[in-house]
Amino acid sequence: MGEDKQERPSLDDMAPIERVSVAEQVARNLLDLIRTGSVRPGQQLPTERELAATLQVSRPSVREAVRGLQILGVLRARQGGGLFVTSLKAAEILAPLQMLITLSADNFESLHESRVVVEGAIGRLLAQKITSATTVRLRKMVEIQKGLTGNPVAFRVSDMEFHRTLGAALDNPFLERISESLYVLGFEYRKIAWETSGVLARSVKDHEEIVTALEAKDPERIAAAMVRHMRSVHETTKAAMTKKAKKND
């Protein structure tokens, strides 16, 4: 009997070879140094020339790797020279989200969808983490906001503080920054909406319902109040965007 022929792998069965640029390799090496604690938050890195010599790569490759890590919020160049590891806090790592995404008619619905998911989940979490001192502070903010419905600029300041206070109460820097980033993304169009009659009063009512739910510490009630507010924001902001688009036509 003849020997069984061994099956040979075809090209289709082979996994593609990962091609990694030199700059990406440099970035990974630097991230490994940070991850293992060899380079700590706030510590200054060697110069571009020193890094290139140590890693035996070209200076342009180092420059490209550093630029990428700066965009990610991992490294920061200080005025006067020197490249430093950031604090690596969530606020700095997630900050580029606001720079890399801008609100437009194409992604507006996606922003709304994201805020509904995030704020609803945040509402349920707040039921466990909110303190009486924070609810008292939020209640005072709402009372102040009732007198600001004729002053859009002052209301904007109070509205931002209201939402930041909710985020801070989470005691979760990642969720806090994500919530704030989504809030900021729609801020320019939201400013236009706040100039529309009745919008500020509607926001105050939404805020009041959120605080009342927080005082009851009912997770589903809080989540529902947060989602209702997001839908209200969506409707009024969408109307403002449509109005602005018509003016620009």
Side-chain angles (χ1 to χ4, degrees), residues 200-226:
L200 297 185
R202 186 171 172 179
S203 283
V204 172
K205 184 175 180 296
D206 288 347
H207 290 173
E208 191 163 29
E209 289 179 358
I210 290 171
V211 175
T212 300
L214 287 168
E215 290 168 341
K217 293 195 173 182
D218 182 332
E220 294 308 316
R221 186 177 173 185
I222 300 168
M226 298 280 275

Side-chain angles (χ1 to χ4, degrees), residues 45-111:
L45 290 178
T47 65
E48 185 180 287
R49 178 179 295 175
E50 290 169 338
L51 283 172
T54 301
L55 298 172
Q56 297 184 27
V57 297
S58 67
R59 289 182 66 179
S61 292
V62 171
R63 193 174 302 122
E64 184 180 345
V66 166
R67 189 180 300 116
L69 292 177
Q70 284 180 288
I71 291 173
L72 290 175
V74 175
L75 300 180
R76 175 176 296 169
R78 290 185 183 174
Q79 190 172 6
L83 192 67
F84 294 79
V85 179
T86 66
S87 67
L88 300 180
K89 291 181 179 178
E92 290 191 87
I93 300 301
L94 294 175
L97 175 66
Q98 293 169 203
M99 295 188 299
L100 297 176
I101 305 176
T102 54
L103 186 63
S104 67
D106 294 332
N107 60 25
F108 177 68
E109 295 298 331
S110 295
L111 173 63

Side-chain angles (χ1 to χ4, degrees), residues 2-53:
E3 294 183 2
D4 292 337
K5 290 183 178 179
Q6 186 175 3
E7 291 186 6
R8 296 180 181 178
S10 68
L11 288 175
D12 291 337
D13 295 329
M14 293 182 179
I17 297 173
E18 183 182 7
R19 295 186 180 278
V20 180
S21 69
V22 175
E24 188 173 344
Q25 292 179 47
V26 172
R28 288 181 180 182
N29 286 341
L30 292 175
L31 284 173
D32 284 341
L33 288 172
I34 295 168
R35 192 181 298 113
T36 58
S38 299
V39 180
R40 301 184 180 280
Q43 187 172 338
Q44 185 173 7
L45 290 178
T47 65
E48 185 180 287
R49 178 179 295 175
E50 290 169 338
L51 283 172

Side-chain angles (χ1 to χ4, degrees), residues 141-176:
M141 286 185 193
V142 172
E143 293 305 313
I144 292 172
Q145 287 174 2
K146 289 178 180 178
L148 298 177
T149 55
N151 188 340
V153 175
F155 187 90
R156 283 201 295 271
V157 175
S158 181
D159 184 79
M160 182 175 285
E161 187 60 26
F162 181 88
H163 286 278
R164 280 181 174 168
T165 301
L166 288 175
L170 291 167
D171 192 28
N172 183 317
F174 294 97
L175 279 176
E176 180 182 356

